[in-house]
Amino acid sequence: ANQGYLNGLANEMGESTKSIRKELNHLHGAGYLKKVKQDNKIEYKVNIDHPLYETLRKVVLKHLGLEDLVEAVLERMGNVENILLIGDYAKGIDSGNIEVFLVGKDLNFTYISKLEDKIENLIGRKVSFYLSSNLPTNQFHIKLYSSD
């Protein structure tokens, strides 16, 4: 996920809040994270302005197999405007099911269905595609690709 709270991160990772706080402070001190005080909570967000952000983002995408997924979709479907990661992976939960929202015009659902199996074999994870001609407004997502 792009953001999180101390308690949520500690619960998700099965670690103490003290150890998570220490690591978050290190990442904040190095400039990788931003701290935003919100009411009585501190929210940690990725610092997208950090000079290494894009490099680290690509490493994570490659590790999860998402870089290969994006390349496979774009290589075979030129009308894709946006590729969005939704569901558990967008929230930072490794559930084994990658949900991808494709936005574009005249997207071929039959072809995408066949592509699911090929991509699953390529990256070794379950993949589900959702197609639309509009960006979702109420769905938490991470943008993997934009034609803009």
Side-chain angles (χ1 to χ4, degrees):
N2 285 339
Q3 61 190 33
Y5 295 102
L6 178 63
N7 287 334
L9 293 169
N11 289 337
E12 187 176 319
M13 294 179 191
E15 295 286 338
S16 70
T17 54
K18 182 179 178 181
S19 64
I20 297 294
R21 181 181 293 114
K22 181 179 176 184
E23 293 306 319
L24 289 172
N25 285 333
H26 286 217
L27 292 168
H28 177 258
Y32 294 109
L33 296 178
K34 292 181 179 180
K35 278 185 184 181
V36 179
K37 187 149 175 112
Q38 198 171 349
D39 298 325
N40 62 346
K41 294 183 179 181
I42 295 176
E43 181 179 53
Y44 295 88
K45 293 184 177 190
V46 173
N47 180 3
I48 61 172
D49 297 322
H50 190 280
L52 293 176
Y53 169 75
E54 275 304 316
T55 302
L56 293 171
R57 182 179 174 275
K58 287 178 183 176
V59 168
V60 170
L61 292 179
K62 186 70 174 173
H63 172 72
L64 294 175
L66 296 174
E67 186 177 84
D68 294 334
L69 182 149
V70 170
E71 287 176 13
V73 168
L74 293 177
E75 186 177 293
R76 293 165 176 87
M77 296 190 65
N79 294 331
V80 177
E81 296 169 11
N82 291 281
I83 301 176
L84 309 173
L85 182 64
I86 61 173
D88 288 345
Y89 275 87
K91 297 172 189 165
I93 301 167
D94 187 355
S95 65
N97 184 28
I98 298 173
E99 296 178 271
V100 179
F101 201 91
L102 301 176
V103 181
K105 293 181 178 41
D106 302 321
L107 297 175
N108 185 338
F109 184 76
T110 305
Y111 184 76
I112 284 293
S113 296
K114 292 177 187 175
L115 194 58
E116 277 182 357
D117 291 334
K118 290 179 184 177
I119 291 175
E120 286 175 9
N121 290 333
L122 179 68
I123 67 174
R125 295 172 191 268
K126 173 88 176 100
V127 179
S128 300
F129 285 103
Y130 306 96
L131 308 181
S132 178
S133 57
N134 300 314
L135 280 171
T137 55
N138 60 348
Q139 178 83 39
F140 180 78
H141 64 272
I142 295 174
K143 193 174 286 190
L144 299 176
Y145 168 81
S146 176
S147 61
D148 298 340

